[in-house]
Amino acid sequence: MSVSVWKANQRRLAPWLFLAPGLLMFAIYVIIPICQSMWISFFDWDGLGEKQWIGTANYVELVDDDAFYTSLKNNVIWLVLYMLSVPAGLMIAIFLNQTITGMRLYKSLFFFPFVISQVVVGLIFSWFYAPGFGLLYNLIELVTGTGVAVLADDRYVTYGIIAAGLWPQIAYVMILYLTGLNNVSPDQVEAARLDGAKGWKMLWHVVLPQLRPATFIAVVVTVIGALRSFDLVSVMTDGGPYGSSRVLSFYMYEQALSEYGYRMGYGAAIAVVLFAIMMVFISGFIWKMWRDETER
Amino acid sequence: MVHYLKGSLALGAILLSSTAAIAQQRVVKYNADYDPAPLAAMEQIIADFEAANPDIDIQLNNFDHEGYKTAIRNFLTADAPDLANWYAGNRMAPFVTSGQFMDVSDVWEANGLKDSLGSALASMTIDGKQWGIPYTYYQWGIYFNKDAYAAAGVEVPGPEGVSWEQFVQNCEKFAAAGIDCITTGTKALWPGAGIFDYMNLRTNGYEFHMDLTAGKVAWTDDRVKATFAEWAKVQPYITKNHAAIDWQDAAALLVQGKAANYVMGNFAVAVFKEGGMTNDNLGFMGFPEITPGLARAEEAPTDTVHIPSGATNPDDAKKFLAYLATAEAQNKINAAMGQLPINKDSTVADDPFLQAGFKMLSTADGGIAQFFDRDAPAEMAKAGMEGFQEFMVKPENLDKILDRLEKVRARVY
């Protein structure tokens, strides 16, 4: 009996059986925690005592929270400026896509920043900016007479951190484009050359269209990298000076988990907002991938 | 089978004979966050305690100091030890109100601690009960570099300190000599709170400061503004870029003579001396009087040990707390930490800064404040310290800062 049920439905059941381990993991580690965060965001909870239902009060407070808008604004700056890593990575990749002796060494040197841990990148740039002994500080002092402590100035601090973040991100994008350039068909380049295409025209009309998959991946990793920027902020400024370099992920950590943070509900509400923002991009990416696959 | 049985019996007998005591020992798990020197002292104290109580085995589990502050929340709820380090004042309030710390009033009662640890009683009491045992504290004040004073041609203050007018005048002279009058490093925010605490204690007194940190006074109150008005007098002379440096970096500025004064806790002395300063050129004075005639209050944060409510062996943990409260134990650990014992029968180590601090604290008739982040609840503390940092960079934003703090106060309390 049971054997015949299996036989009758084998084709329908088998895929689900194969998917089951993955689905289970995905549910436990992704879906359920997301739902839990949303649930917690409706409570006032210090993480220790009793939870208290307060409805949407956390969200109402967010709307009136200056620090939240600072974080949101910084997240937007991150998103926009982080995108610079895509053209910059492409330029370096094209520059490095030559056959000279020792090219592998240069490639790996350019890739090096991505290999270093973000924490170390943050530390190196903190020293670079440090008032007193920092290289950049001393350079500015030499030129203008007064040094600028980038990380102590609320006008420059976010840009200073983004510059640190771009360093490894450009290397990452570069490696994506380098693999992409390997797949550019030489026939087409040759044909274009016979038709008289050169320079920008060649890049724009012949090479770039073939690099589309690499560009797509580069944009995806850059958007996500910008939105989850946390480690650099934490290492370089701790959100300071006076909270002006916070981003949403760091603000969430500060409110819920840091030394003075005992507001799990409020932190969860920030996380939900961040999730909603990410969802916009992720849905866009998924929609594009789905469209590309069905077109084929 | 018989063979194995014999073997295991023999093995058991050997184990029994060698560790007969251990078989009956009751374990007390202790989570702490000591630096190396105090850790060694605490291990010594535990050894002494175990020698006197052979049936108790204290297992010390030492954490990294910064990591401990966030780890404690996890282990209190998930896997509670029998003893845990923490801090006095409002800093322990979240754990007390959520029922994570055990009431240890009986230990205070049975050992007469309300008398012997009397100076810390108020900061250990919430709802009329005591929630832990204090074992060390240290003074805050102004540490200064005598060489920097000499370089700027400013008279070196004596042990009685200087007046506020004199201090501000000195700052002008330091500025003329290219030396920072006051240095601090507020990257981690809290060093700035030390300056605020003293400005407020000296301008408005202990009661007002306690009311402010307890949320009973508005941040937009004129008396708070008076505090910031005094602070504004020295604000231009505070190290620029303090928001980008840690307190240790600022200590280096003092050591190098690039800064003259540093409002800090006594733990900084070790860093100054590592940097090459000696008792000859490192000076200490109390914070100058601002409003004449105010009872002098000082700042002295207290470190404590508590019993989590989830403790499995609270009875033996209480025995250890009682021992930690004795003058003997407090002498030992404070000699190693370079800090002040709380027990009134204990002795202060022979060190000029500790002696000066002890004298200053024992004659403070206004009261002893803990520290801004221990007197105020966590959320208020964080917002406040950010505000202090912003004020020291952009004093023109004061009204905006105070409005923001008032908004936080309305929500927190």
Side-chain angles (χ1 to χ4, degrees):
Chain A
M1 182 62 193
S2 62
V3 175
S4 68
V5 169
W6 170 243
K7 280 211 164 138
N9 298 300
Q10 190 176 6
R11 281 185 156 268
R12 275 193 295 139
L13 285 178
W16 290 108
L17 280 177
F18 282 113
L19 280 174
L23 285 179
L24 191 73
M25 290 293 169
F26 194 65
I28 291 176
Y29 292 109
V30 179
I31 304 289
I32 295 174
I34 288 174
C35 298
Q36 278 177 325
S37 299
M38 289 180 181
W39 181 241
I40 291 172
S41 72
F42 296 113
F43 288 91
D44 181 20
W45 185 37
D46 62 2
L48 297 161
E50 287 295 304
K51 286 202 211 72
Q52 200 191 344
W53 176 268
I54 52 168
T56 55
N58 281 327
Y59 293 96
V60 173
E61 194 188 326
L62 265 186
V63 173
D64 191 34
D65 185 347
D66 294 340
F68 171 69
Y69 289 112
T70 309
S71 319
L72 199 60
K73 190 189 90 192
N74 284 338
N75 257 122
V76 172
I77 300 177
W78 267 88
L79 257 180
V80 172
L81 290 185
Y82 230 47
M83 277 301 150
L84 289 178
S85 65
V86 177
L90 177 64
M91 288 307 136
I92 297 177
I94 290 172
F95 175 65
L96 290 180
N97 195 34
Q98 311 177 34
T99 41
I100 332 171
T101 41
M103 207 53 193
R104 272 163 200 272
L105 177 70
Y106 300 134
K107 280 182 187 172
S108 40
L109 284 178
F110 271 94
F111 187 57
F112 194 62
F114 186 67
V115 181
I116 310 174
S117 145
Q118 293 265 304
V119 176
V120 178
V121 171
L123 272 180
I124 294 174
F125 270 79
S126 308
W127 292 334
F128 184 56
Y129 295 138
F133 66 88
L135 184 63
L136 184 74
Y137 181 91
N138 285 335
L139 266 179
I140 295 176
E141 197 170 32
L142 206 70
V143 175
T144 67
T146 46
V148 176
V150 173
L151 297 182
D153 194 313
D154 57 7
R155 287 168 299 175
Y156 311 129
V157 62
T158 298
Y159 303 103
I161 302 173
I162 294 173
L166 278 175
W167 190 45
Q169 188 66 24
I170 289 174
Y172 189 20
V173 172
M174 176 203 79
I175 212 81
L176 290 173
Y177 274 123
L178 271 177
T179 48
L181 284 169
N182 278 338
N183 296 328
V184 170
S185 124
D187 311 358
Q188 286 188 26
V189 176
E190 193 62 22
R193 195 161 281 155
L194 286 176
D195 288 345
K198 259 192 285 181
W200 285 108
K201 263 193 172 160
M202 171 78 100
L203 177 69
W204 190 253
H205 295 288
V206 181
V207 179
L208 266 187
Q210 296 190 60
L211 284 176
R212 203 177 262 163
T215 309
F216 178 67
I217 298 290
V219 171
V220 172
V221 295
T222 307
V223 166
I224 291 175
L227 284 175
R228 54 169 210 164
S229 49
F230 170 86
D231 25 22
L232 285 173
V233 176
S234 174
V235 170
M236 293 174 74
T237 62
D238 245 343
Y242 35 91
S244 51
S245 66
R246 283 190 191 112
V247 289
L248 284 175
S249 53
F250 188 79
Y251 192 40
M252 170 195 77
Y253 161 81
E254 245 186 343
Q255 288 292 326
L257 303 164
S258 72
E259 193 181 338
Y260 300 105
Y262 289 89
R263 305 187 70 202
M264 294 294 169
Y266 198 57
I270 300 167
V272 170
V273 172
L274 184 59
F275 175 69
I277 297 172
M278 284 208 178
M279 231 20 225
V280 172
F281 290 100
I282 294 172
S283 326
F285 295 143
I286 292 178
W287 177 72
K288 189 197 175 294
M289 281 201 289
W290 180 77
R291 199 190 51 183
D292 288 356
E293 279 185 15
T294 47
E295 267 175 8
R296 228 168 270 156
Chain B
M1 194 66 206
V2 177
H3 193 70
Y4 283 121
L5 199 62
K6 257 189 192 162
S8 68
L9 269 178
L11 186 68
I14 292 165
L15 280 174
L16 264 181
S17 60
S18 65
T19 59
I22 286 176
Q24 291 153 27
Q25 268 186 332
R26 302 185 301 273
V27 171
V28 174
K29 283 188 290 177
Y30 179 12
N31 285 4
D33 59 338
Y34 293 111
D35 291 332
L39 177 65
M42 182 43 83
E43 276 167 353
Q44 185 57 45
I45 286 172
I46 288 173
D48 294 349
F49 175 77
E50 285 174 343
N53 300 274
D55 50 342
I56 301 177
D57 174 28
I58 301 213
Q59 295 176 351
L60 183 69
N61 182 14
N62 202 49
F63 286 65
D64 156 65
H65 189 68
E66 292 301 319
Y68 186 82
K69 292 171 184 170
T70 44
I72 184 168
R73 268 186 268 174
N74 294 333
F75 69 64
L76 281 184
T77 45
D79 178 25
D82 301 299
L83 292 164
N85 275 13
W86 198 235
Y87 310 101
N90 231 321
R91 199 79 196 268
M92 68 177 180
F95 299 130
V96 171
T97 49
S98 64
Q100 300 293 339
F101 280 167
M102 196 179 276
D103 173 14
V104 291
S105 305
D106 51 339
V107 180
W108 284 70
E109 213 53 64
N111 297 284
L113 301 184
K114 284 185 176 170
D115 176 44
S116 60
L117 305 181
S119 62
L121 177 63
S123 59
M124 296 310 298
T125 306
I126 291 178
D127 295 335
K129 295 170 191 154
Q130 287 74 49
W131 300 93
I133 295 291
Y135 63 92
T136 184
Y137 70 145
Y138 52 90
Q139 82 274 14
W140 272 64
I142 297 180
Y143 293 85
F144 56 88
N145 185 336
K146 292 178 185 169
D147 298 340
Y149 270 78
V154 181
E155 194 187 334
V156 176
E160 69 290 343
V162 293
S163 72
W164 181 237
E165 287 77 31
Q166 185 66 50
F167 189 82
V168 177
Q169 278 172 22
N170 288 351
C171 279
E172 287 160 12
K173 286 185 203 160
F174 283 122
I179 294 172
D180 294 337
C181 180
I182 301 177
T183 190
T184 191
T186 59
K187 190 179 175 195
L189 293 179
W190 57 262
I195 305 180
F196 169 78
D197 281 353
Y198 266 121
M199 297 301 313
N200 198 35
L201 285 170
R202 291 290 183 268
T203 310
N204 295 309
Y206 180 78
E207 292 304 324
F208 180 83
H209 186 67
M210 286 297 124
D211 285 349
L212 183 68
T213 50
K216 292 177 193 155
V217 186
W219 279 90
T220 45
D221 191 291
D222 281 342
R223 288 168 291 179
V224 180
K225 287 181 179 157
T227 297
F228 280 97
E230 295 296 338
W231 198 350
K233 290 182 189 168
V234 290
Q235 183 274 336
Y237 309 116
I238 297 174
T239 300
K240 304 271 177 294
N241 306 325
H242 58 80
I245 60 177
D246 280 316
W247 74 265
Q248 292 95 335
D249 304 328
L253 294 178
L254 186 91
V255 170
Q256 295 159 7
K258 291 178 183 166
N261 301 292
Y262 197 172
V263 180
M264 249 297 142
N266 194 62
F267 52 85
V269 168
V271 177
F272 297 142
K273 288 190 173 168
E274 263 169 39
M277 293 188 83
T278 62
N279 290 347
D280 295 329
N281 58 4
L282 180 65
F284 172 78
M285 62 176 165
F287 202 89
E289 181 178 54
I290 295 177
T291 303
L294 270 184
R296 184 166 55 83
E298 298 293 348
E299 181 136 279
T302 308
D303 293 353
T304 54
V305 181
H306 304 261
I307 305 181
S309 345
T312 46
N313 188 3
D315 296 337
D316 290 327
K318 282 179 181 176
K319 274 187 203 163
F320 181 74
L321 284 190
Y323 177 69
L324 187 62
T326 60
E328 181 201 351
Q330 300 215 336
N331 280 343
K332 201 166 278 174
I333 189 147
N334 283 292
M337 295 176 93
Q339 297 190 158
L340 297 167
I342 292 174
N343 192 304
K344 69 181 173 63
D345 302 321
S346 50
T347 49
V348 176
D350 185 25
D351 170 276
F353 300 101
L354 283 181
Q355 293 286 352
F358 181 73
K359 199 171 148 230
M360 184 177 90
L361 294 176
S362 53
T363 56
D365 43 359
I368 304 280
Q370 284 298 315
F371 193 72
F372 188 74
D373 71 350
R374 304 187 187 187
D375 289 325
E379 209 187 323
M380 188 73 244
K382 170 88 181 172
M385 294 190 302
E386 264 175 29
F388 305 151
Q389 188 190 41
E390 184 170 354
F391 173 77
M392 283 191 280
V393 179
K394 295 190 167 171
E396 66 274 15
N397 288 358
L398 177 61
D399 288 327
K400 231 167 68 188
I401 297 168
L402 292 181
D403 284 343
R404 201 171 63 222
L405 293 187
E406 179 58 18
K407 207 161 115 185
V408 175
R409 183 185 79 95
R411 193 181 62 237
V412 172
Y413 298 97

